[in-house]
Amino acid sequence: MGSQAPSGEPAGPGGVAGVAEAAEVAEVVATERARTFLVRVGGRDQSHVDLDDPSRLEFGYVRRMGDVVDAHGGPGAPLRVVHVGGAGLTLPRYVAHTRPRSSQVVLEPDTALTALVRERLPLPRRSGIKVRPVDGRTGLAELREGAFDLVVLDAYAAGRVPADLVTPAAFALVARALAPDGLALLNLSDRTPFAHTRDVLAGLRVHLPHLTLSAEPPTLKGRRAGNLVVVAGRAAEHLAGGDRALARGAVSALTPYVVLDAVGVASGFGGGTPLPEPPAPGGRPEG
């Protein structure tokens, strides 16, 4: 583990604060905009944080997630949210800002990264955000049944969602934690022919069968890899508000994107096989 940057205010323009964890360096990098920062892990941009305006979601896929959050439940009403993966805590900050008194749990095993973010990008007082130093699979298993309105899966290690978070057993834990009308939001990174995404969705459908997917046209057309935002629930009516919000955003967003409804997802992302459980630590199969 590398040394942690000195305490104090966020780094000024051009400043970088960093720690090393498991051979991947975590950095907080100042942008040209005052009090606005990027969190990078292993050289990859993980989060964009505006300390003065938490409602500003710079990354397109996070904005799409924010649109779904906005449409869930009553306008401005507090939500109960679990975030699997923390990094700069961009979406938790957004929820705390737009829906005061929300109760949020973040599952983030990288304690060095959390310490860096807390120090350089401090959370507002009484934010309602609690960060648990635990991996996603373990943390999901510890959640109370039916206690959450949203479960957000946006966890990455070496550029890929950890394998133990995209199996049917993992999605069973997500579904168990959700209220009857709760939704799961997933950020997947993939490119054509989307073999990994097809397999992930095949496992997700076992427990949350109604799906919507959004992505930018160059990704869907095979020109480049990109972020696929998946919304999943138990019934189609639970996704209706988020679907309408995404449809409005697809028209007005600075970066256009396409929204696929349940029929479009089944047609364009069907045919997968649920992923098996990964080997347990030490190479021994689970079970």
Side-chain angles (χ1 to χ4, degrees):
M1 180 177 296
S3 60
Q4 186 170 312
S7 61
E9 291 295 318
V16 177
V19 297
E21 177 80 1
E24 286 201 322
V25 175
E27 304 171 299
V28 174
V29 183
T31 71
E32 295 181 355
R33 185 183 177 107
R35 290 174 54 80
T36 302
F37 303 85
L38 287 170
V39 177
R40 290 179 180 153
V41 179
R44 302 178 182 90
D45 290 346
Q46 297 277 43
S47 303
H48 181 280
V49 178
D50 188 328
L51 292 177
D52 292 332
D53 184 8
S55 68
R56 181 169 170 260
L57 302 178
E58 185 73 10
F59 293 171
Y61 84 88
V62 183
R63 179 66 265 172
R64 302 203 300 271
M65 286 185 162
D67 289 343
V68 176
V69 169
D70 290 346
H72 196 67
L79 292 174
R80 303 163 299 169
V81 187
V82 175
H83 304 264
V84 184
L89 307 174
T90 303
L91 196 59
R93 295 172 197 266
Y94 177 84
V95 173
H97 181 74
T98 59
R99 291 176 178 259
R101 302 182 305 283
S102 290
S103 175
Q104 301 188 78
V105 175
V106 179
L107 309 177
E108 175 53 70
D110 190 337
T111 56
L113 173 59
T114 298
L116 176 67
V117 169
R118 283 188 179 278
E119 186 172 313
R120 295 296 178 179
L121 309 175
L123 291 168
R125 292 183 178 180
R126 296 183 292 276
S127 68
I129 300 169
K130 297 180 180 179
V131 182
R132 296 181 182 174
V134 63
D135 68 87
R137 184 67 176 262
T138 300
L140 286 170
E142 295 173 347
L143 298 175
R144 289 185 294 114
E145 183 174 357
F148 296 93
D149 302 302
L150 298 170
V151 175
V152 180
L153 175 55
D154 189 12
Y156 278 76
R160 175 74 83 177
V161 179
D164 65 347
L165 292 178
V166 288
T167 66
F171 293 134
L173 296 176
V174 171
R176 178 182 177 276
L178 286 170
D181 63 346
L183 299 177
L185 282 72
L186 288 73
N187 172 39
L188 305 174
S189 180
D190 205 355
R191 67 184 310 149
T192 53
F194 303 114
H196 181 69
T197 297
R198 294 173 193 273
D199 291 345
V200 171
L201 298 189
L204 181 59
R205 286 190 187 95
V206 174
H207 302 285
L208 298 169
H210 295 272
L211 309 179
T212 296
L213 182 148
S214 62
E216 295 176 10
T219 298
L220 293 176
K221 294 177 180 179
R223 296 173 185 166
R224 59 172 171 78
N227 296 95
L228 311 173
V229 173
V230 179
V231 185
R234 292 185 174 90
E237 58 265 28
H238 300 158
L239 278 69
D243 287 355
R244 289 192 293 269
L246 287 171
R248 290 192 298 269
V251 175
S252 61
L254 293 177
T255 303
Y257 60 89
V258 174
V259 182
L260 301 180
D261 61 12
V263 174
V265 175
S267 174
F269 290 85
T273 301
L275 294 165
E277 286 293 305
R284 298 183 305 276
E286 295 277 358

